[in-house]
Amino acid sequence: MNTILPSEIKKRLDLGEQLAIVDVREDDEVAAGIIQGAIHIPLAQLPDRLSEIPQVEELILVCRSGNRSGRAISFLEAQGYKGLKNMTGGMLEWED
């Protein structure tokens, strides 16, 4: 599974890069903060909301610690998605 560091994402966003990020945490977790520009789709809703997930060269999945986003990647790979990356450490490691 491909991974990406939170610091790398932050650096790229700070440089103005537009990243495709899907946050699979629950509503109450996202209420505490979300990476700017991320799409919020709770893990359990992924199957019903596939049309909202962009088919791009690089798609970054984010959760609280990295476990749910790993499960999201496995599911999306089975649906034919490519270029998936798991943000290591999840939002616990995110510094904004």
Side-chain angles (χ1 to χ4, degrees), residues 10-80:
K10 177 135 180 50
K11 181 179 178 183
R12 289 171 63 186
L13 289 172
D14 287 347
L15 291 171
E17 195 172 336
Q18 297 292 318
L19 301 176
I21 302 171
V22 175
D23 190 323
V24 298
R25 296 176 298 154
E26 296 300 319
D27 292 340
D28 60 323
E29 293 172 295
V30 169
I34 188 169
I35 297 172
Q36 185 175 349
I39 301 166
H40 175 228
I41 304 176
L43 181 62
Q45 295 178 20
L46 279 182
D48 297 327
R49 295 177 64 185
L50 279 176
S51 64
E52 297 174 48
I53 301 170
Q55 294 263 7
V56 291
E57 270 185 43
E58 178 187 60
L59 181 65
I60 300 166
L61 281 293
V62 175
C63 68
R64 187 181 71 86
S65 65
N67 292 326
R68 280 175 285 177
S69 50
R71 293 203 308 269
I73 285 175
S74 296
F75 171 76
L76 292 173
E77 283 176 340
Q79 308 308 307

